[in-house]
Amino acid sequence: MKDQGMGTELNENADQVAAAFVSARHEARVLEIYPGTTPQALDDAYDIQDRAITIDGRQIVGWKVGRINSPLDASLGANRLVGPIFADSVVDADAADTPAMPVYAGGFAAGEAEFLVHVAPGFKGPVPADDAGTIAIVDDVRIGIEIASSPYPGINADGPTVTVSDFGNNTGLVRGAALPNWQSTDLCAIRVKSEIDGIEVGSATAAAMLDGPYGAVRFLLGNLLARGFDVSQGLWVSTGAVTGVHEIAVGQEFRAIFEGHGELTCTIIAAAPR
């Protein structure tokens, strides 16, 4: 059992880290070192994330889901992680659009091709047990690009708990066209390709992503319900990087191709203070 002094110390560290990340994001300012003691457990990392969500105060319309690889999945007790997606960071686009998506110049930045799944309003639990049950609580599936970025350049290198502590490394989402007949479409059979400046940097299907996009939805719902979040208003789920996490720089262009189902392109710009 933690003694009272240790509990106070952990709380103060969580507040310090959360405030530092929110401030750095607001000011578009690089954090050269991690702004406190790095969390060693996922519970501590989500405590920081929860505090940062409260400090930030913006509306959350969805959540990103990322993978925790072996052997850390075993030691941390989870094979995925999550972070909030704020309403003002989502851009709707189609194949003819090339939105400019901001990242933290000097920090970490990456583009990721992802399936976006919308959980319909009204869901309160329990979490479905399989894909059929998950599809039953979904009302939209789209193609998308997650823009992963943090003011702290070491966010990915330092491991999943650090990633969780700064909003799961999310900073934006390009929401593309709806997939027609998604209820009967095998998302895991769609070949996805990612390009940076016209050069292919990844090609894969979601079949390699644990239990697939709908499994990511189930993981997220379980995580949020356990943390006390109300999920009954509906939410978007960016279900994971199909072709990988592709580091990208200001001035470059990211293209996500979902073969037979459309594509999206965005350019990368430097975030400005807000």
Side-chain angles (χ1 to χ4, degrees), residues 7-8 13 21 29 42 44 56 64 79 84 95-97 107 130 133 160 172 178 187 199 219 221 224 238 243 265:
T8 300
N13 181 69
F21 273 124
R29 171 174 47 82
L42 285 173
D44 294 332
D56 185 283
K64 63 82 56 80
N79 56 18
D97 299 323
D130 55 23
L187 302 183
I199 299 173
F219 178 88
L221 292 174
L224 295 180
S238 193
T243 68
T265 304

Short mmCIF file of all heavy atoms in Angstrom, two decimals, residues 7-8 13 21 29 42 44 56 64 79 84 95-97 107 130 133 160 172 178 187 199 219 221 224 238 243 265:
data_model
loop_
_atom_site.label_atom_id
_atom_site.label_comp_id
_atom_site.label_asym_id
_atom_site.label_seq_id
_atom_site.Cartn_x
_atom_site.Cartn_y
_atom_site.Cartn_z
N GLY A 7 1.47 9.06 -2.03
CA GLY A 7 0.29 9.42 -2.80
C GLY A 7 0.26 10.89 -3.15
O GLY A 7 -0.07 11.27 -4.28
N THR A 8 0.63 11.73 -2.20
CA THR A 8 0.68 13.17 -2.45
C THR A 8 1.72 13.50 -3.51
O THR A 8 1.50 14.32 -4.40
CB THR A 8 1.01 13.92 -1.15
OG1 THR A 8 -0.02 13.65 -0.19
CG2 THR A 8 1.08 15.42 -1.40
N ASN A 13 3.06 15.18 -9.01
CA ASN A 13 3.76 14.92 -10.27
C ASN A 13 2.78 14.85 -11.43
O ASN A 13 3.03 15.42 -12.50
CB ASN A 13 4.56 13.62 -10.19
CG ASN A 13 5.32 13.34 -11.48
OD1 ASN A 13 6.27 14.02 -11.83
ND2 ASN A 13 4.87 12.31 -12.21
N PHE A 21 2.27 19.62 -20.32
CA PHE A 21 1.93 19.20 -21.68
C PHE A 21 0.84 20.09 -22.27
O PHE A 21 0.92 20.48 -23.45
CB PHE A 21 1.51 17.73 -21.71
CG PHE A 21 2.65 16.78 -21.87
CD1 PHE A 21 2.87 15.76 -20.95
CD2 PHE A 21 3.51 16.87 -22.95
CE1 PHE A 21 3.93 14.88 -21.09
CE2 PHE A 21 4.58 15.99 -23.11
CZ PHE A 21 4.79 14.99 -22.18
N ARG A 29 5.05 24.91 -28.12
CA ARG A 29 6.42 25.04 -27.59
C ARG A 29 7.00 23.65 -27.32
O ARG A 29 6.36 22.80 -26.72
CB ARG A 29 6.38 25.86 -26.29
CG ARG A 29 7.67 25.91 -25.50
CD ARG A 29 7.54 26.86 -24.32
NE ARG A 29 6.32 26.67 -23.56
CZ ARG A 29 6.16 25.72 -22.61
NH1 ARG A 29 7.15 24.89 -22.33
NH2 ARG A 29 5.01 25.63 -21.96
N LEU A 42 0.51 1.98 -16.42
CA LEU A 42 -0.51 2.60 -17.23
C LEU A 42 -1.53 3.37 -16.40
O LEU A 42 -2.01 4.42 -16.82
CB LEU A 42 -1.22 1.55 -18.09
CG LEU A 42 -0.41 1.03 -19.29
CD1 LEU A 42 -1.13 -0.13 -19.95
CD2 LEU A 42 -0.16 2.15 -20.30
N ASP A 44 -1.01 5.11 -13.76
CA ASP A 44 -0.43 6.42 -13.47
C ASP A 44 -0.43 7.30 -14.71
O ASP A 44 -0.65 8.52 -14.64
CB ASP A 44 0.99 6.27 -12.94
CG ASP A 44 1.03 5.57 -11.58
OD1 ASP A 44 0.04 5.67 -10.83
OD2 ASP A 44 2.04 4.90 -11.29
N ASP A 56 -7.24 21.02 -20.10
CA ASP A 56 -7.40 21.49 -21.47
C ASP A 56 -8.81 22.03 -21.72
O ASP A 56 -8.98 23.12 -22.28
CB ASP A 56 -7.09 20.35 -22.45
CG ASP A 56 -7.11 20.78 -23.89
OD1 ASP A 56 -8.21 20.93 -24.45
OD2 ASP A 56 -6.02 20.98 -24.47
N LYS A 64 -8.18 7.99 -30.08
CA LYS A 64 -7.27 7.17 -30.88
C LYS A 64 -6.88 5.94 -30.09
O LYS A 64 -6.79 5.97 -28.84
CB LYS A 64 -6.04 7.96 -31.33
CG LYS A 64 -5.10 8.49 -30.23
CD LYS A 64 -4.08 7.48 -29.68
CE LYS A 64 -3.19 6.84 -30.70
NZ LYS A 64 -2.05 7.69 -31.11
N ASN A 79 -2.39 -4.53 -24.41
CA ASN A 79 -1.73 -4.53 -25.72
C ASN A 79 -2.12 -3.34 -26.57
O ASN A 79 -1.73 -3.25 -27.73
CB ASN A 79 -2.02 -5.84 -26.47
CG ASN A 79 -3.50 -6.12 -26.64
OD1 ASN A 79 -4.34 -5.23 -26.50
ND2 ASN A 79 -3.83 -7.37 -26.94
N PRO A 84 -7.31 11.01 -26.26
CA PRO A 84 -8.46 11.77 -26.74
C PRO A 84 -8.20 12.47 -28.08
O PRO A 84 -7.08 12.85 -28.39
CB PRO A 84 -8.69 12.80 -25.63
CG PRO A 84 -7.32 13.04 -25.07
CD PRO A 84 -6.63 11.70 -25.13
N ALA A 95 -11.26 12.89 -51.43
CA ALA A 95 -10.06 12.65 -52.23
C ALA A 95 -9.57 13.90 -52.95
O ALA A 95 -8.39 14.00 -53.31
CB ALA A 95 -10.32 11.53 -53.24
N ALA A 96 -10.46 14.88 -53.15
CA ALA A 96 -10.08 16.10 -53.86
C ALA A 96 -9.46 17.15 -52.94
O ALA A 96 -8.93 18.16 -53.42
CB ALA A 96 -11.30 16.69 -54.57
N ASP A 97 -9.52 16.93 -51.64
CA ASP A 97 -9.02 17.90 -50.67
C ASP A 97 -7.61 17.56 -50.22
O ASP A 97 -7.21 16.39 -50.18
CB ASP A 97 -9.92 17.93 -49.43
CG ASP A 97 -11.35 18.34 -49.77
OD1 ASP A 97 -11.52 19.21 -50.64
OD2 ASP A 97 -12.28 17.79 -49.16
N GLY A 107 9.22 18.71 -32.12
CA GLY A 107 8.77 17.60 -31.27
C GLY A 107 8.71 16.33 -32.08
O GLY A 107 9.56 16.09 -32.95
N ASP A 130 -17.65 -9.68 -29.49
CA ASP A 130 -17.13 -10.07 -30.79
C ASP A 130 -17.44 -9.00 -31.84
O ASP A 130 -18.08 -7.99 -31.53
CB ASP A 130 -17.68 -11.43 -31.22
CG ASP A 130 -19.21 -11.47 -31.22
OD1 ASP A 130 -19.85 -10.40 -31.32
OD2 ASP A 130 -19.77 -12.57 -31.11
N GLY A 133 -21.23 -8.24 -32.49
CA GLY A 133 -21.80 -7.40 -31.45
C GLY A 133 -21.32 -5.97 -31.54
O GLY A 133 -22.06 -5.03 -31.23
N PRO A 160 5.19 3.31 -23.91
CA PRO A 160 3.74 3.53 -23.90
C PRO A 160 3.22 4.40 -22.77
O PRO A 160 2.26 5.15 -22.98
CB PRO A 160 3.18 2.10 -23.79
CG PRO A 160 4.25 1.22 -24.33
CD PRO A 160 5.53 1.88 -23.95
N GLY A 172 -4.36 15.36 -34.27
CA GLY A 172 -5.31 15.68 -35.32
C GLY A 172 -5.84 14.46 -36.04
O GLY A 172 -5.29 13.36 -35.92
N ALA A 178 -17.28 7.98 -45.99
CA ALA A 178 -17.85 6.77 -45.39
C ALA A 178 -17.65 5.58 -46.32
O ALA A 178 -17.68 5.72 -47.55
CB ALA A 178 -19.33 6.97 -45.11
N LEU A 187 -13.08 -5.29 -43.13
CA LEU A 187 -12.07 -4.24 -43.06
C LEU A 187 -10.65 -4.81 -43.10
O LEU A 187 -9.74 -4.17 -43.62
CB LEU A 187 -12.26 -3.42 -41.78
CG LEU A 187 -13.61 -2.73 -41.58
CD1 LEU A 187 -13.60 -1.90 -40.30
CD2 LEU A 187 -13.99 -1.89 -42.78
N ILE A 199 6.33 8.74 -52.06
CA ILE A 199 7.12 7.52 -51.89
C ILE A 199 6.42 6.60 -50.89
O ILE A 199 6.09 7.02 -49.77
CB ILE A 199 8.54 7.84 -51.40
CG1 ILE A 199 9.26 8.71 -52.42
CG2 ILE A 199 9.33 6.56 -51.14
CD1 ILE A 199 10.60 9.23 -51.95
N PHE A 219 -11.65 -2.56 -27.07
CA PHE A 219 -10.63 -2.20 -26.07
C PHE A 219 -10.89 -0.79 -25.55
O PHE A 219 -10.85 -0.55 -24.33
CB PHE A 219 -9.23 -2.27 -26.68
CG PHE A 219 -8.15 -1.86 -25.72
CD1 PHE A 219 -7.57 -2.78 -24.87
CD2 PHE A 219 -7.74 -0.53 -25.63
CE1 PHE A 219 -6.59 -2.40 -23.96
CE2 PHE A 219 -6.78 -0.14 -24.71
CZ PHE A 219 -6.20 -1.07 -23.88
N LEU A 221 -13.70 1.01 -25.47
CA LEU A 221 -14.89 1.11 -24.63
C LEU A 221 -14.64 0.54 -23.24
O LEU A 221 -15.07 1.12 -22.24
CB LEU A 221 -16.06 0.39 -25.31
CG LEU A 221 -16.58 1.05 -26.59
CD1 LEU A 221 -17.64 0.17 -27.24
CD2 LEU A 221 -17.11 2.45 -26.33
N LEU A 224 -12.49 3.18 -21.37
CA LEU A 224 -13.22 4.38 -20.98
C LEU A 224 -14.22 4.11 -19.87
O LEU A 224 -14.36 4.90 -18.93
CB LEU A 224 -13.93 4.98 -22.20
CG LEU A 224 -13.03 5.51 -23.31
CD1 LEU A 224 -13.88 6.08 -24.44
CD2 LEU A 224 -12.05 6.56 -22.79
N SER A 238 -10.41 6.14 -33.77
CA SER A 238 -9.35 5.96 -34.75
C SER A 238 -8.62 4.69 -34.34
O SER A 238 -7.92 4.66 -33.32
CB SER A 238 -8.41 7.18 -34.75
OG SER A 238 -7.56 7.18 -35.86
N THR A 243 -0.57 0.64 -41.47
CA THR A 243 0.73 0.41 -42.11
C THR A 243 1.91 0.81 -41.24
O THR A 243 3.05 0.67 -41.65
CB THR A 243 0.84 1.18 -43.45
OG1 THR A 243 0.88 2.59 -43.17
CG2 THR A 243 -0.35 0.88 -44.35
N THR A 265 -5.30 12.71 -48.61
CA THR A 265 -4.00 13.34 -48.61
C THR A 265 -4.04 14.57 -47.73
O THR A 265 -5.05 15.28 -47.68
CB THR A 265 -3.59 13.75 -50.05
OG1 THR A 265 -3.63 12.61 -50.90
CG2 THR A 265 -2.18 14.35 -50.07
#
